[in-house]
């Protein structure tokens, strides 16, 4: 058998590549899973082979991410394609995704995950699991895989491809075989990204949007509103870039406000329909009560809409309730690609955003309008400590929903040159042109058997096989190629050689039944993937309908309920507790009667025996009112024992008491009792008596003020003896008394008394108290008594007065 040199050279190149791979893999102990560090790092460090024969800037191969985005959304999935421009092709390839600045020596250097679309074309590398390579080395011009972007915080990623051609190995850093894509950062307060370019796609595309609510007590346990949680009716539209339903950094319209605060889509739909030709389709879905149920109980709601060249954006919003003004949604999502095609699929995880019309911080905060109105912004985990999404470390909010927008049909002439989806490609089922035979001369084979029947009976791509037998191997050092050969194929009548044949897509999944109870209909669609070249119209049906029944019993008195949900967690962490489950009324009786079906079930549950917790207690009750209406008092709270008796005695306190303080009570002035009356100030004639009392507590907080602290009263002792005193003397004494009355407090003259000479008044004694009312005294004693003096007129005298009457 004669072998051409070009094919021998190709085989040698492939063997050389295999040798480089094997030589770079270090030997490791058999108990370790080969992490492929050596092989993966060799991929990233490999240099072009035969680079001298390549022209600088020659881009015959291209690595492309669908839509050519410059940024990726963490966790989203993208279609990645590797092309060869005509007439180039490639036989082998390698595809990896590296974090920028890393060399691939460690598993953490790789970003995201690949998913295989066609196992016949692609597979994961045996010695380098993060990488994708060819399944069999054969001639090809295009491969496609899915790539799921890494989580937030991964920064920029480099998608790199290596190409094995006939005589040249092209590596990642050549031409357009490297694609740099960076994480899309959410910049709060700025406006929603707007399309940079006008859409150049032709025809129209039909999409189905499906909403998956993940807002649940399991994923968002803090303050989760168990009884009233729901998603409001969803409202949106496909529209032009001249109309914006809502956007970050903008202000909510009245329609957006009513959805955000009340869950009402009426005003929003009115605003959308007023935009006329700026809107192509209004998107609506029903409300969901409760917010989350398993998909086997309630299917995720969906709606269909269309886009065209001028109205290629899609927006929607729905409220999570109860909440002040929190929503989720998409804003101006562009479904037109830069390659003049239509995006195949958009998967987006959603976090709640604040409409800026209410200032509440918890799910059930009272209505508190934001004045002035604030801009629409995403919620963060650091907004407020009472927020159900609060995280003191500022972590990312767990998404509350996921939306999937998937293309289900295209209509009209399609003008994109490069197909944007593998489903849009008519596989080349013609047998590859065997320009050269790469079988070594030392391998002797039988002839190839006829091709088997195609594995696909429809116009979807399948494969067929042929075989040959190895009769002899003349040189054991030269390996003989495979004995089986595969090639793509399609069912009868689907060959692109028959230009008059319509190529149809597979049927889309059935729509929901048109009736929620009883007999209805459901439908499904498919679309024309390729029209006949001779101009004939495709006659194959594009729609099918069939009858469906949701619930046979639709009598007026019956009601339709969902399946039971899962049981809640047991109310006890150990010992005996309770658990419950719920189901919803999907359709009440048509006669207006009450649905008799049970919607809540409760049953006992037993957890492991309590060892470390001797008793189970209910939460503390609220504190009672203070025991007084003013001043200091006490208040108390209680809790109940929930543990069963068999768990033993519970020593935990069931009642607590603490002091409480209300505004101070009014306090009246408090005084001591009156002292005894003092002696009369005169030994004869008219004098006065005095008594005092002290202030022990001054009036406070509006109480009655303090009355007088000193009282006086007159006293009259027998008339003074006037014998031996002439009229002149009486006149002098009268004048002296008059002088004493005019001079308050002046000391009496030592000789004011008849018949004796008195000493001056002594100084006042110290006050008996420093505060609160005391007494001071002073004395006057006789210095000399005359012979004619009466005893009573020459007695010692004493005066008393109050002092330091201010409160302590």
């Amino acid at each position: 058998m004669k072998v051409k040199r070009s094919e021998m050279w190709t085989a040698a190149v492939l063997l050389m590549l295999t040798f480089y791979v094997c030589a770079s893999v270090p030997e490791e102990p058999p108990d370790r899973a080969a992490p492929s560090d050596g092989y993966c790092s060799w991929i990233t460090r490999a240099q072009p082979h035969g680079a001298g024969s390549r022209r600088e800037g020659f881009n015959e191969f291209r690595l492309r991410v669908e839509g050519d985005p410059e940024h990726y959304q963490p966790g989203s999935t993208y279609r990645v394609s590797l092309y060869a421009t005509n007439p180039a092709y490639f036989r082998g390839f390698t595809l990896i995704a590296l974090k920028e600045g890393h060399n691939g020596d460690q598993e953490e250097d790789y970003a995201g995950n690949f998913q295989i679309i066609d196992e016949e074309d692609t597979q994961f590398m045996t010695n380098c699991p993060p990488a994708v390579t060819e399944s069999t080395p054969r001639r090809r011009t295009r491969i496609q895989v899915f790539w799921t972007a890494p989580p937030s915080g991964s920064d920029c990623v480099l998608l790199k491809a290596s190409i094995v051609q006939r005589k040249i190995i092209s590596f990642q850093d050549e031409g357009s075989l490297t694609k740099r894509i960076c994480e899309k950062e959410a910049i709060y307060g700025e406006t929603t990204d707007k399309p940079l370019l006008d859409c150049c796609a032709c025809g129209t595309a039909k999409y189905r949007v499906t909403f998956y609510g993940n807002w649940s007590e399991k994923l968002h346990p803090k303050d989760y509103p168990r009884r009233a949680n729901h998603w409001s009716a969803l409202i949106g539209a496909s529209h032009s870039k001249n109309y914006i339903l809502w956007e970050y950094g903008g202000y909510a319209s009245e329609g957006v406000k009513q959805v955000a605060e009340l869950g009402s889509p009426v005003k929003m739909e009115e605003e959308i329909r007023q935009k006329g030709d700026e809107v192509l389709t209004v998107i609506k879905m029903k409300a969901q009560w409760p917010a989350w149920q398993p998909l086997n109980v309630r299917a995720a709601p969906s709606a269909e809409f269309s886009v065209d060249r001028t109205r290629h954006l899609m927006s929607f919003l729905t409220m999570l309730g109860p909440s002040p003004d929190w929503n989720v949604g998409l804003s101006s999502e562009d479904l037109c690609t830069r390659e003049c095609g239509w995006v195949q699929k958009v998967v987006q995880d959603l976090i709640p955003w604040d409409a800026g019309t209410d200032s509440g911080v918890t799910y059930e905060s009272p209505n508190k309008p934001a004045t002035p109105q604030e801009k629409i912004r995403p919620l963060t985990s650091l907004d407020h400590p009472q927020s159900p999404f609060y995280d003191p470390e500022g972590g990312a909010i767990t998404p509350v929903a996921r939306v999937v927008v998937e293309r289900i049909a295209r209509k009209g002439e399609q003008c994109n040159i490069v197909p944007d989806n593998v489903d849009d490609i008519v596989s080349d089922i013609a047998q590859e042109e065997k320009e050269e035979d790469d079988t070594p001369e030392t391998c002797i084979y039988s002839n190839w058997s006829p091709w088997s029947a195609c594995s696909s009976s429809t116009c979807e791509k399948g494969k067929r096989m042929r075989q040959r037998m190895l009769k002899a191997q003349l040189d054991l050092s030269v390996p003989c190629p495979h004995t089986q050969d595969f090639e793509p194929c399609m069912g009868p009548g689907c060959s692109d050689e028959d230009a008059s044949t319509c190529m149809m897509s597979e049927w889309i999944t059935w729509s929901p039944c048109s009736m929620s109870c009883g007999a209805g209909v459901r439908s499904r669609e498919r679309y024309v993937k390729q029209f006949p070249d001779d101009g004939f119209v495709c006659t194959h049906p594009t729609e099918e309908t069939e009858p469906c029944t949701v619930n046979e019993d639709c009598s007026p008195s019956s009601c339709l309920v969902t399946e039971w949900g899962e049981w809640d967690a047991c109310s006890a962490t150990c010992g005996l507790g309770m658990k419950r489950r719920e189901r919803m009324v999907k359709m009440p009786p048509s006669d207006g009667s009450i649905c008799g079906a049970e919607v809540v079930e409760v049953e006992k549950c037993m957890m492991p025996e309590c060892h470390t917790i001797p008793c189970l207690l209910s939460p503390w009750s609220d504190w009672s009112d203070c025991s007084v209406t003013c001043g200091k008092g006490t208040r108390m709270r209680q809790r109940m024992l929930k543990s069963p008796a068999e768990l033993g005695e519970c020593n935990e306190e069931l009642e607590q008491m603490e002091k409480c303080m209300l505004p101070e009570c009014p306090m009246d002035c408090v005084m001591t009792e009156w002292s005894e009356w003092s002696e009369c100030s005169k030994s004869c004639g008219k004098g006065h008596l005095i008594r005092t009392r002290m202030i022990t507590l001054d009036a406070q907080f509006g109480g009655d003020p303090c009355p007088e602290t000193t009282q006086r009263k007159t006293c009259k002792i027998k008339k003074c003896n006037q014998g031996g005193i002439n009229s002149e003397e009486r006149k002098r004494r009268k004048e002296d008394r008059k002088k004493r009355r005019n001079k308050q407090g002046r000391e009496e003259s030592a000789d004011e008394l008849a018949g004796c000479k008195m000493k001056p008044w002594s100084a006042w004694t110290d006050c008996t108290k420093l505060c609160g009312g005391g007494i001071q005294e002073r004395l006057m004693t006789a210095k000399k008594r005359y012979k004619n003096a009466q005893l009573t007129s020459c007695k010692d005298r004493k005066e008393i007065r109050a002092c330091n009457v201010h409160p302590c």
Side-chain angles (χ1 to χ4, degrees):
M1 181 183 298
K2 193 172 183 180
V3 182
K4 296 183 180 180
R5 291 183 178 179
S6 60
E7 291 300 317
M8 293 182 66
W9 172 255
T10 302
V13 170
L14 293 174
L15 288 172
M16 185 184 304
L17 177 59
T18 305
F19 172 76
Y20 287 156
V21 170
C22 297
S24 61
V25 179
E27 294 184 1
E28 296 189 359
D31 58 338
R32 289 180 58 189
S36 69
D37 289 350
Y39 184 73
C40 288
S41 61
W42 171 83
I43 293 176
T44 62
R45 290 193 296 266
Q47 297 298 320
H49 179 71
S53 61
R54 301 183 63 80
R55 299 191 301 275
E56 182 177 356
F58 186 62
N59 295 323
E60 58 187 323
F61 303 109
R62 180 187 176 196
L63 181 65
R64 179 199 172 212
V65 179
E66 184 177 22
D68 289 335
E70 296 180 357
H71 300 87
Y72 66 84
Q73 186 74 33
S76 296
T77 300
Y78 300 86
R79 188 185 297 270
V80 179
S81 303
L82 186 59
Y83 295 102
T85 57
N86 189 36
Y89 64 90
F90 55 94
R91 294 182 176 273
F93 71 93
T94 302
L95 183 60
I96 60 172
L98 276 175
K99 295 179 180 177
E100 190 175 37
H102 295 70
N103 55 19
D105 289 335
Q106 300 178 2
E107 184 178 352
E108 294 77 14
D109 294 351
Y110 296 88
N113 299 290
F114 287 108
Q115 300 173 42
I116 302 299
I117 295 178
D118 190 339
E119 295 182 354
E120 182 181 333
D121 279 340
T122 54
Q123 66 178 5
F124 291 106
M125 275 192 167
T126 304
N127 294 327
C128 182
V132 177
T133 188
E134 73 278 355
S135 297
T136 56
R138 65 178 180 83
R139 184 172 175 175
R140 54 174 58 80
T141 59
R142 174 190 177 100
I143 63 96
Q144 289 189 332
V145 294
F146 284 127
W147 177 68
T148 301
S152 180
S154 301
D155 297 328
C156 293
V157 175
L158 297 178
L159 295 169
K160 294 187 170 187
S162 301
I163 293 295
V164 180
Q165 204 183 15
R166 291 179 57 187
K167 299 181 181 181
I168 298 175
I169 305 173
S170 306
F171 288 99
Q172 299 96 336
D173 297 326
E174 293 191 7
S176 55
L177 289 178
T178 294
K179 173 72 175 178
R180 182 176 183 267
I181 182 171
C182 296
E183 180 180 351
K184 183 177 182 180
E185 298 181 359
I187 304 177
Y188 303 148
E190 294 191 1
T191 58
T192 302
D193 290 339
K194 296 181 175 61
L196 297 178
L197 302 174
D198 291 332
C199 180
C200 58
C202 299
T204 63
K206 189 174 184 180
Y207 286 87
R208 175 175 292 136
V209 53
T210 306
F211 183 83
Y212 298 91
N214 298 327
W215 179 45
S216 65
E217 188 172 14
K218 182 177 180 181
L219 295 179
H220 307 85
K222 182 180 178 183
D223 300 332
Y224 187 78
R226 298 186 63 185
R227 297 190 178 277
N229 62 85
H230 67 282
W231 291 106
S232 75
L234 183 148
I235 183 69
S238 58
H239 57 91
S240 72
K241 63 181 181 180
N242 296 324
Y243 172 47
I244 298 176
L245 275 73
W246 69 272
E247 64 174 341
Y248 293 140
Y251 290 97
S253 66
E254 182 61 30
V256 172
K257 178 181 178 181
Q258 290 194 16
V259 175
E261 294 188 12
L262 308 176
S264 170
V266 177
K267 183 64 176 179
M268 187 77 251
E269 182 176 353
E270 179 183 331
E271 291 179 355
I272 292 173
R273 295 190 183 278
Q274 287 176 350
K275 292 299 177 179
D277 291 340
E278 301 296 336
V279 173
L280 182 59
T281 309
V282 178
I283 303 170
K284 295 192 290 184
M285 297 184 202
K286 293 183 179 180
Q288 300 180 73
W289 294 78
W292 182 88
Q293 279 191 355
L295 292 178
N296 60 352
V297 175
R298 181 183 67 201
S302 63
E304 296 179 0
F305 65 95
S306 298
V307 292
D308 60 18
R309 176 179 290 189
T310 59
R311 294 160 292 189
H312 51 92
L313 306 180
M314 176 266 197
S315 302
F316 78 87
L317 68 159
T318 176
M319 178 195 76
L320 67 162
S323 71
D325 57 348
W326 300 343
N327 286 243
V328 298
L330 291 180
S331 175
S332 300
E333 184 71 23
D334 195 352
L335 300 176
C336 183
T337 70
R338 297 186 180 184
E339 306 300 325
C340 302
W342 298 110
V343 172
Q344 174 64 25
K345 188 175 185 180
V346 175
V347 179
Q348 183 72 55
D349 289 321
L350 305 175
I351 63 170
W353 49 268
D354 189 318
T357 61
D358 193 288
S359 301
V361 296
T362 66
Y363 289 127
E364 300 182 271
S365 292
N367 186 37
K368 186 179 180 183
T371 306
Q373 183 174 334
E374 299 174 354
K375 293 181 178 180
I376 298 174
R377 64 171 185 88
L379 294 181
T380 73
S381 60
L382 294 175
D383 283 339
H384 195 281
Q386 294 182 4
S387 168
F389 305 106
Y390 179 73
D391 179 1
E393 298 181 358
I397 294 179
T398 302
V400 296
R402 168 174 287 185
V403 64
V404 177
V405 182
E406 189 169 15
R407 197 181 75 209
I408 58 176
R410 297 198 311 183
K411 297 181 180 179
E413 179 185 359
Q414 302 304 315
C415 56
N416 53 318
I417 300 173
V418 179
D420 59 356
N421 178 6
V422 70
D423 296 333
D424 299 326
I425 302 171
V426 181
S427 299
D428 182 6
I429 65 168
Q431 181 177 348
E432 271 190 7
E433 182 182 354
K434 297 294 183 179
E435 298 177 352
E436 301 166 348
D437 188 354
D438 57 0
T439 305
E441 294 180 353
T442 56
C443 299
I444 309 301
Y445 290 94
S446 66
N447 293 328
W448 286 105
S449 68
W451 287 104
S452 66
C454 188
S455 62
S456 173
S457 59
T458 67
C459 290
E460 291 300 305
K461 185 167 65 174
K463 60 183 178 180
R464 61 179 181 173
M465 180 190 72
R466 64 177 181 174
Q467 295 178 318
R468 62 181 177 179
M469 294 180 58
L470 178 62
K471 293 182 176 181
Q473 187 172 1
L474 304 181
D475 187 351
L476 296 179
S477 64
V478 178
C480 292
H482 56 275
T483 59
Q484 290 183 330
D485 191 16
F486 297 87
E487 73 173 11
C489 61
M490 288 181 286
C494 294
S495 171
D496 60 351
E497 294 176 354
D498 185 3
S500 63
T501 302
C502 287
M503 175 174 283
M504 307 296 294
S505 71
E506 283 294 302
W507 288 102
I508 308 299
T509 55
W510 289 102
S511 67
C513 194
S514 61
M515 298 296 294
S516 58
C517 181
V521 293
R522 62 177 186 173
S523 62
R524 64 177 183 176
E525 297 179 348
R526 62 178 179 178
Y527 59 93
V528 179
K529 294 175 65 174
Q530 178 178 302
F531 289 89
D533 291 342
D534 55 10
F536 283 91
V537 178
C538 288
T539 58
H540 299 298
T542 58
E543 293 187 8
E544 278 188 353
T545 59
E546 69 174 19
C548 57
T549 302
V550 176
N551 182 31
E552 295 181 355
D553 183 13
C554 291
S555 60
S557 61
S558 66
C559 59
L560 183 63
V561 294
T562 64
E563 296 293 329
W564 285 106
E566 297 180 356
W567 287 103
D568 290 344
C570 191
S571 62
T573 56
C574 65
L576 184 64
M578 304 295 291
K579 64 180 182 179
R580 69 194 296 272
R581 64 176 181 174
E582 298 178 353
R583 61 180 176 179
M584 301 293 295
V585 177
K586 295 173 63 176
M587 185 178 69
S590 59
D591 57 3
S593 60
I594 299 176
C595 183
E598 294 290 338
V599 294
V600 177
E601 277 190 349
V602 180
E603 69 176 28
K604 296 180 180 179
C605 54
M606 178 63 73
M607 302 298 287
E609 183 179 355
C610 300
H611 296 290
T612 58
I613 304 176
C615 55
L616 296 177
L617 301 167
S618 69
W620 284 106
S621 68
D622 294 332
W623 286 103
S624 66
D625 294 333
C626 198
S627 60
V628 296
T629 57
C630 61
K632 295 180 179 179
T634 58
R635 64 177 186 173
M636 61 184 300
R637 64 176 183 176
Q638 297 174 327
R639 59 181 176 181
M640 298 178 60
L641 178 65
K642 296 172 62 178
S643 302
E646 57 266 22
L647 292 181
E649 182 179 358
C650 179
N651 297 322
E652 299 288 339
E653 61 177 342
L654 301 179
E655 188 173 287
Q656 283 185 346
M657 182 176 293
E658 70 175 14
K659 296 179 180 179
C660 53
M661 184 71 183
L662 294 177
E664 294 286 352
C665 300
M667 300 180 66
D668 298 335
C669 176
V670 179
M671 307 186 73
T672 64
E673 295 295 327
W674 287 106
S675 66
E676 296 293 334
W677 286 102
S678 67
E679 295 181 0
C680 190
S681 62
K682 297 292 182 70
S683 57
C684 64
K686 291 184 179 180
H688 64 270
L689 305 176
I690 187 171
R691 69 174 181 177
T692 61
R693 58 180 175 180
M694 297 179 294
I695 298 174
T696 59
L697 181 65
D698 209 345
Q700 298 181 29
F701 311 113
D704 293 334
C706 295
E708 60 184 353
T709 58
T710 304
Q711 285 185 345
R712 296 173 182 267
K713 70 177 180 178
T714 59
C715 56
K716 186 175 182 181
I717 304 179
K718 63 181 180 178
K719 293 182 179 181
C720 296
N721 186 3
Q722 299 179 357
I725 302 176
N726 55 28
S727 60
E728 290 296 329
E729 182 66 18
R730 285 196 296 272
K731 185 177 180 181
R732 183 183 62 81
R733 290 183 178 180
K734 184 176 181 181
E735 290 177 354
D736 288 341
R737 287 196 296 272
K738 185 176 181 181
K739 289 179 180 180
R740 285 197 298 270
R741 284 194 297 268
N742 293 333
K743 297 179 181 180
Q744 298 177 1
R746 178 177 295 178
E747 294 182 352
E748 292 182 357
S749 174
D751 54 352
E752 66 175 320
L753 298 176
C756 63
K757 188 175 182 179
M758 305 297 293
K759 292 180 180 180
W761 284 104
S762 68
W764 290 102
T765 63
D766 293 335
C767 192
T768 57
K769 291 187 178 181
L770 297 176
C771 61
I775 296 176
Q776 287 179 303
E777 297 179 349
R778 69 176 181 176
L779 297 174
M780 179 186 287
T781 58
K783 182 176 182 182
K784 183 178 180 180
R785 183 176 290 113
Y786 298 104
K787 292 180 180 181
N788 61 345
Q790 298 181 2
L791 295 176
T792 56
S793 63
C794 238
K795 291 180 64 175
D796 293 340
R797 298 190 59 196
K798 180 172 69 172
E799 281 191 350
I800 300 173
R801 70 179 183 183
C803 59
N804 293 340
V805 295
H806 58 275
C808 296

